[in-house]
Amino acid sequence: MSTTLITQSECEHWLRSEMADLYLLLGMSWWHEQSPLRVWITRADMGYRLALRVLETQLRVVQGLFPAEYHRWRGLLAKPDKFYGKLFEARCVAMLHHAGIHITQFEPQYLK
């Protein structure tokens, strides 16, 4: 499936108009040319909108539990070698939280 990826300004516009909460949770610090989020936003109308909604929910949980660390943590989404690790981490935090398991902190090494 070859699709021309949209530009940074197009991604920002789409996020602002279609998913304003996710836009605020992400900021634009996540941007890089090979960002998987760029692919997801480009393909939002081809089934990726749900993945973006799930990410929004997970980021909201992470932000709520770790407001002091959230900005630095989310900045790691911009690093191609860290993106999927942060995505997995957000999923785990959200799942544990929703299961009623109390999480008190991130492992400090994972904030680098």
Side-chain angles (χ1 to χ4, degrees):
M1 171 192 289
S2 179
T3 304
T4 302
L5 298 178
I6 62 178
T7 66
Q8 180 177 357
S9 61
E10 290 170 323
C11 282
E12 184 171 0
H13 174 74
W14 187 89
L15 281 169
R16 281 184 177 184
S17 63
E18 299 292 325
M19 299 187 81
D21 289 344
L22 181 59
Y23 174 78
L24 294 173
L25 287 164
L26 285 171
M28 286 303 285
S29 63
W30 63 268
W31 177 263
H32 62 83
E33 288 291 320
Q34 286 74 40
S35 173
L37 283 174
R38 182 182 185 199
V39 174
W40 293 7
I41 293 166
T42 299
R43 297 181 177 158
D45 294 330
M46 295 177 238
Y48 282 76
R49 187 179 299 262
L50 179 59
L52 291 163
R53 288 274 180 226
V54 169
L55 176 61
E56 178 183 322
T57 300
Q58 293 166 354
L59 292 179
R60 192 174 294 118
V61 170
V62 173
Q63 181 189 43
L65 292 175
F66 307 106
E69 296 93 353
Y70 180 72
H71 182 74
R72 184 183 335 180
W73 180 90
R74 90 165 170 199
L76 295 172
L77 290 171
K79 298 184 181 226
D81 62 327
K82 302 268 185 190
F83 178 81
Y84 283 106
K86 292 292 124 186
L87 199 65
F88 179 74
E89 195 172 294
R91 180 68 179 150
C92 290
V93 167
M95 287 177 67
L96 291 169
H97 176 72
H98 291 304
I101 299 171
H102 187 64
I103 306 162
T104 58
Q105 68 182 33
F106 280 118
E107 178 68 36
Q109 74 183 29
Y110 296 128
L111 295 172
K112 298 176 185 173

